[in-house]
């Protein structure tokens, strides 16, 4: 099937077909534009491996729900790191920044007896202030982000220890914050959310199609749009069907059904930041600075402001991640945000398809990469692998992802597909 020509306002425009669309996609892959495809394939393969090895546990509704809660914190941190990585920068302090912000929230809730909204706002504000300071040092003072954030990584460990009194554990009370990464939505709300999300997604797709057609612009084939809507619908409805099954060990004592609250939280931030990067001038400026900072400066883009802003967003999302980590654990301690949190968060962004060299990445990459990390950790735990083996395997996956990115960039440069 070949493309056809249509006349729109006297101007000939190419109307692509489904076949030509797939040919273009294959051409982009051959040219080095792999996107999230390696991560998605890896996720499918890992799921099949672990599901085959432990079908009675890995594919259970309870374990499926646990994957959302397990991935929520590091996925939030990874979303913020996407913005930093798009500029070719790095933030090594994101893990302990999450811990510090989580500690601020916990102290305000327990020792200071502030309400949950105040504690949440204070935690998020602390994250934004941290990002503002880091961004200023990088953009205005000119210190490399590696040095600035490495110093902050060390300093925030001390701040966290001081806030918690050299090792104290602070448990947070039951309430909205504790339910964020532990509880589930009612079954009715779960289905309403899934159906509503599919309807909104379909509406946006058709409105975009109609808008481009009205302006005489080249559109995607309607078949591709229907395929995309069908894929999203199948994914959300099947997921909801699994998660609304009974997961409680003893349902007579307490029932456990519904989509984990963490899932719509992740989805909400995914939609927000995807819109910011893909549909606003700010997002275009971020990609422009990440692609070529000097060219962006000459084009009138405020490069320093963009640099500061991505660190603000990064640390703000680290605070959100810290809230989710504290919610899941039910407490905050000196290890909150430490250990493998930062490494897994950076790994999630890179494994998902974001380039370490800047200029290439999407927020969805954090979600896909977070899912890969969670599946590896969860599946290998169910197969009784040691923590050391899990770290080694995750490191190998990260190295492969970085290698694929480097090879793809080389291929893109060779073919002129940048």
């Amino acid at each position: 099937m070949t493309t056809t020509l249509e006349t729109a306002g006297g101007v000939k425009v190419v109307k692509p077909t489904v076949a030509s669309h797939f040919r273009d996609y294959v051409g982009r892959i051959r040219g080095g534009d792999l996107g999230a495809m390696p991560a998605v394939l890896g996720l499918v393969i890992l799921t099949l491996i672990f599901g085959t090895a432990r079908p009675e546990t890995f594919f259970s509704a309870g374990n499926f729900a646990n994957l959302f809660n397990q991935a929520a914190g590091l996925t939030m941190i990874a979303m913020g790191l996407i913005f930093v990585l798009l500029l070719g920068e790095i933030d090594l302090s994101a893990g302990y920044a999450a811990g510090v912000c989580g500690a601020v929230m916990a102290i305000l809730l327990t020792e200071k007896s502030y309400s949950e909204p105040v504690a949440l706002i204070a935690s998020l504000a602390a994250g934004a202030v941290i990002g503002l300071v880091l961004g200023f040092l990088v953009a205005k003072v000119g210190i490399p982000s590696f040095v600035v954030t490495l110093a902050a990584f060390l300093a925030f460990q001390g701040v966290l220890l001081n806030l918690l009194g050299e090792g104290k554990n602070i448990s947070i009370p039951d309430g909205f914050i504790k339910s964020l990464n532990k509880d589930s939505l009612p079954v009715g709300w779960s289905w309403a959310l899934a159906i509503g999300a599919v309807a909104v997604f379909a509406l946006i797709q058709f409105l975009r199609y109609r808008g481009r057609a009205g302006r005489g612009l080249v559109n995607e084939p309607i078949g591709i749009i229907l395929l995309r809507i069908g894929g999203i619908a199948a994914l959300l409805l099947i997921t909801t069907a699994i998660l609304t099954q009974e997961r409680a060990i003893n349902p007579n004592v307490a029932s456990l059904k519904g989509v984990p609250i963490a899932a719509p939280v992740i989805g909400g931030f995914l939609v927000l930041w995807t819109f910011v990067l893909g549909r606003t001038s700010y997002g275009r400026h971020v990609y422009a600075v990440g692609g070529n900072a000097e060219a962006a400066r000459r084009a009138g883009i405020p490069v320093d402001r963009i640099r500061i802003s991505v660190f603000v967003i990064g640390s703000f999302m680290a605070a959100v991640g810290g809230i989710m980590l504290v919610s899941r654990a039910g407490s905050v301690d000196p290890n909150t945000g430490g250990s493998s949190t930062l490494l897994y968060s950076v790994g999630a962004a890179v494994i998902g398809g974001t380039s370490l060299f800047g200029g290439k990445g999407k927020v969805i990459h954090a979600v896909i990469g977070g899912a890969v990390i969670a599946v590896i950790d969860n599946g290998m735990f169910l197969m009784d692998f040691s923590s050391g083996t899990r770290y080694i395997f995750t490191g190998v996956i990260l190295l492969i992802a970085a290698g694929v990115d480097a090879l793809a960039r080389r291929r893109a440069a060779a073919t002129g597909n940048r």
Side-chain angles (χ1 to χ4, degrees), residues 42-116:
L43 180 60
V44 171
I45 292 170
L46 288 168
T47 300
L48 292 175
I49 291 172
F50 294 132
T52 302
R54 292 288 187 273
E56 69 286 350
T57 51
F58 186 80
F59 282 135
S60 67
N63 191 59
F64 193 35
N66 181 57
L67 286 171
F68 282 95
N69 298 125
Q70 192 173 342
L74 68 91
T75 300
M76 292 299 175
I77 299 173
M79 284 187 188
L81 287 171
I82 294 286
F83 284 82
V84 178
L85 292 173
L86 280 173
L87 263 61
E89 305 286 0
I90 189 67
D91 184 357
L92 300 176
S93 68
Y96 275 112
V100 169
C101 294
V104 168
M105 178 188 69
I107 291 171
L108 291 178
L109 278 175
T110 56
E111 298 179 4
K112 304 299 181 182
S113 300
Y114 281 98
S115 64
E116 286 189 321

Side-chain angles (χ1 to χ4, degrees), residues 4-380:
T4 59
L5 293 176
E6 284 191 347
T7 301
V11 179
K12 285 187 175 182
V13 294
V14 178
K15 182 182 178 183
T17 62
V18 173
S20 67
H21 184 86
F22 277 114
R23 281 198 301 271
D24 290 342
Y25 179 68
V26 172
R28 291 198 300 271
I29 291 175
R30 288 176 176 174
D33 185 9
L34 300 179
M37 187 192 67
V40 173
L41 288 177
L43 180 60
V44 171
I45 292 170
L46 288 168
T47 300
L48 292 175
I49 291 172
F50 294 132
T52 302
R54 292 288 187 273
E56 69 286 350
T57 51
F58 186 80
F59 282 135
S60 67
N63 191 59
F64 193 35
N66 181 57
L67 286 171
F68 282 95
N69 298 125
Q70 192 173 342
L74 68 91
T75 300
M76 292 299 175
I77 299 173
M79 284 187 188
L81 287 171
I82 294 286
F83 284 82
V84 178
L85 292 173
L86 280 173
L87 263 61
E89 305 286 0
I90 189 67
D91 184 357
L92 300 176
S93 68
Y96 275 112
V100 169
C101 294
V104 168
M105 178 188 69
I107 291 171
L108 291 178
L109 278 175
T110 56
E111 298 179 4
K112 304 299 181 182
S113 300
Y114 281 98
S115 64
E116 286 189 321
V118 172
L120 278 173
I121 292 171
S123 177
L124 296 174
V129 170
I130 288 171
L132 186 63
V133 173
L134 296 178
F136 178 84
L137 292 174
V138 172
K140 294 297 185 180
V141 181
I143 307 174
S145 59
F146 179 87
V147 177
V148 170
T149 58
L150 178 60
F153 170 84
L154 297 171
F156 289 156
Q157 292 184 63
V159 171
L160 185 58
L161 281 171
N162 287 334
L163 286 173
L164 299 178
E166 296 294 336
K168 182 171 58 177
N169 182 302
I170 300 178
S171 297
I172 60 172
D174 293 337
F176 172 75
I177 293 175
K178 200 168 186 177
S179 70
L180 279 174
N181 205 15
K182 275 194 171 184
D183 294 346
S184 299
L185 296 171
V187 172
W189 286 19
S190 299
W191 280 110
L193 182 67
I195 294 170
V198 171
V200 170
F201 181 77
L203 179 63
I204 291 172
Q205 292 295 307
F206 283 122
L207 288 176
R208 184 180 301 170
Y209 180 87
R210 192 175 70 174
R212 290 182 65 86
R215 295 193 298 272
L217 300 175
V218 177
N219 243 323
E220 287 183 313
I222 191 68
I224 294 295
I225 294 174
L226 292 174
L227 219 75
R228 186 181 296 129
I229 293 171
I232 292 295
L235 177 65
L236 292 180
L237 297 179
I238 291 172
T239 299
T240 304
I242 295 172
L243 293 173
T244 49
Q245 296 177 18
E246 182 61 66
R247 306 194 297 270
I249 298 175
N250 190 348
N252 295 323
V253 176
S255 180
L256 183 58
K257 298 179 181 179
V259 173
I261 295 174
V265 174
I266 294 172
F269 278 106
L270 172 62
V271 171
L272 170 64
W273 295 126
T274 298
F275 175 81
V276 169
L277 277 180
R279 308 291 293 178
T280 66
S281 59
Y282 171 77
R284 290 189 290 273
H285 290 172
V286 170
Y287 283 112
V289 174
N292 190 321
E294 185 55 34
R297 192 188 310 277
R298 292 180 180 181
I301 296 174
V303 173
D304 287 350
R305 289 185 196 174
I306 296 295
R307 277 188 173 149
I308 293 173
S309 69
V310 298
F311 280 97
V312 171
I313 292 173
S315 295
F316 175 86
M317 289 306 297
V320 176
I323 291 168
M324 299 302 284
L325 291 173
V326 172
S327 172
R328 184 166 188 253
S331 62
V332 61
D333 60 55
N335 291 318
T336 301
S339 185
S340 59
T341 302
L342 171 68
L343 302 180
Y344 276 4
S345 298
V346 175
V350 176
I351 289 171
T354 297
S355 176
L356 285 168
F357 303 99
K360 191 183 78 172
K362 296 179 180 179
V363 182
I364 187 65
H365 293 165
V367 178
I368 297 171
V372 171
I373 295 287
V375 165
I376 292 172
D377 200 49
N378 180 275
M380 296 189 76

